[in-house]
Amino acid sequence: MFTNRIMDAGSQTYSKLRLLPEFVDKSLLIKAVFDNANTRILLVAPRKSGKSVNLLMLKCFLEVVPSNTIMENNRALFKGLLINEHKEIMECHQGKYPILYLDLKAFCPISSITNALNQLALVVQGAYKQHDYLESSSELSDYEKTAFKMWCDLVDIPEPREGLIINSALINLANYLKKYWQKDVIILCDEYDSMCSNAVISIDNIPEGDALPPGRYYRSAEKEIREIIDICIGALSSIVKSEDVPVFRAILTGMSNLKTMGSSKLNNVIAYEFDIHDEFQPFYGLSKVELDSTSARNEKN
């Protein structure tokens, strides 16, 4: 049995927003994604501009799940929206893809490499739990089911605490999804840079002889931060960049361009910045027309 509560979390969140009088239709972002020739994109926008909401919208629109009820609920969310004017997009892409959804927002300070690995492990665990129907699937071997269950039941990262454990777990999950659905996966990653940015703020140099917090070693803050960035970006690279992973498209969001991370591990990802690229700018933030329309609806209600 799969867990409806976990699987349906994205559609529940988006459906609540969809019913608000302040809701603004940004569904043409879906068309913009598929009109774009690049299959690996990063959408860069400031805080509170709609990055997470838009990614949940994409998830609800694109995702295929083994529950007719959830599929019907997801389809209902898009009735009356602008995307319905584009029948080819609706017919070819709505409810067609297994989604590997990763939320990399830092939920506590990233104060050490161990801390970063533990948070990444929880992100991976959350991705596995979204698809816990795979645990009883006849398409997976007994070995694969055991490995899948290990991540769903995970309490802590097994030793050694290496990013390679997380990388292989993401690769395996993409392959399990392809095996079950017989379709390549779409990667949706929210706040790809949040943990990296948090580490920059949270980690200070520790003079030799001072007491060390858990998971820290005597090294400069710069080296510690660099390794955390490499671990986080490397985890994404393992599924977004590898030709051996069955990924159809990847859409990342964040507040910073990949260049500011100083990593070349995601050099196949094309960044589109909020205030520079016209392709995606209309879908983030609110225009004056949208604000006026929202105000008018609120006054009417």
Side-chain angles (χ1 to χ4, degrees):
M1 290 293 291
F2 57 85
T3 306
N4 277 358
R5 181 183 59 79
I6 294 171
M7 185 184 299
D8 201 25
S11 57
Q12 286 180 354
T13 301
Y14 184 68
S15 64
K16 289 177 182 177
L17 295 170
R18 175 77 173 82
L19 295 173
L20 292 175
E22 296 86 1
F23 177 80
V24 176
D25 184 357
K26 300 284 187 177
S27 62
L28 289 182
L29 170 64
I30 300 164
K31 182 177 183 298
V33 165
F34 286 100
D35 284 349
N36 193 287
N38 298 303
T39 62
R40 309 304 195 253
I41 62 174
L42 165 64
L43 303 177
V44 181
R47 292 186 70 231
K48 306 300 182 182
S49 58
K51 296 189 298 296
S52 297
V53 173
N54 279 347
L55 212 63
L56 286 175
M57 176 185 68
L58 286 166
K59 182 177 186 291
C60 292
F61 183 87
L62 299 169
E63 189 167 34
V64 58
V65 298
S67 165
N68 290 333
T69 300
I70 294 176
M71 292 293 288
E72 289 170 7
N73 289 343
N74 283 349
R75 288 191 184 97
L77 293 174
F78 295 90
K79 289 182 178 178
L81 299 188
L82 293 170
I83 192 62
N84 281 273
E85 298 174 7
H86 302 275
K87 300 302 180 185
E88 185 178 352
I89 295 288
M90 301 290 291
E91 292 171 3
C92 293
H93 301 298
Q94 189 173 26
K96 302 293 187 183
Y97 303 97
I99 300 294
L100 204 169
Y101 181 84
L102 303 171
D103 184 353
L104 288 182
K105 285 192 288 287
F107 54 85
C108 68
I110 306 297
S111 55
S112 69
I113 292 170
T114 300
N115 181 224
L117 284 168
N118 280 330
Q119 290 204 37
L120 272 176
L122 290 175
V123 169
V124 174
Q125 183 182 54
Y128 269 72
K129 284 186 174 183
Q130 290 174 51
H131 302 282
D132 60 358
Y133 56 89
L134 293 175
E135 192 177 323
S136 58
S137 166
S138 59
E139 280 77 10
L140 271 62
S141 68
D142 290 341
Y143 174 82
E144 289 169 333
K145 290 177 189 175
T146 299
F148 190 95
K149 187 175 188 302
M150 185 277 289
W151 275 99
C152 286
D153 297 343
L154 183 71
V155 175
D156 199 1
I157 305 177
E159 294 292 345
R161 295 175 179 273
E162 296 178 355
L164 291 176
I165 297 171
I166 289 167
N167 296 359
S168 62
L170 290 171
I171 292 169
N172 288 341
L173 180 54
N175 281 300
Y176 297 159
L177 289 168
K178 171 64 181 283
K179 198 171 183 179
Y180 183 91
W181 292 107
Q182 294 298 303
K183 291 207 68 170
D184 287 354
V185 173
I186 289 183
I187 306 291
L188 300 178
C189 177
D190 198 18
E191 303 285 3
Y192 91 96
D193 54 348
S194 176
M195 291 177 61
C196 302
S197 301
N198 190 286
V200 172
I201 296 170
S202 301
I203 296 178
D204 296 318
N205 284 310
I206 301 176
E208 193 79 30
D210 281 9
L212 291 169
R216 284 299 306 273
Y217 303 91
Y218 284 120
R219 68 178 83 185
S220 70
E222 182 180 354
K223 288 182 179 179
E224 190 101 349
I225 291 165
R226 170 51 49 202
E227 189 165 346
I228 288 171
I229 290 173
D230 286 344
I231 288 169
C232 294
I233 301 299
L236 286 175
S237 175
S238 69
I239 50 173
V240 170
K241 193 172 180 181
S242 174
E243 294 181 358
D244 299 325
V245 182
V247 175
F248 175 53
R249 283 181 177 267
I251 301 103
L252 287 62
T253 72
M255 290 178 59
S256 58
N257 197 316
L258 286 158
K259 293 177 182 177
T260 65
M261 293 290 106
S263 175
S264 61
K265 291 185 176 182
L266 288 175
N267 58 9
N268 65 329
V269 176
I270 307 302
Y272 293 87
E273 299 190 59
F274 173 76
D275 56 348
I276 298 174
H277 298 93
D278 293 337
E279 296 97 319
F280 296 101
Q281 185 169 336
F283 308 112
Y284 291 90
L286 295 175
S287 67
K288 185 178 186 305
V289 171
E290 289 169 337
L291 282 171
D292 290 344
S293 175
T294 300
S295 298
R297 287 203 305 271
N298 284 337
E299 289 175 4
K300 184 177 180 180
N301 292 332

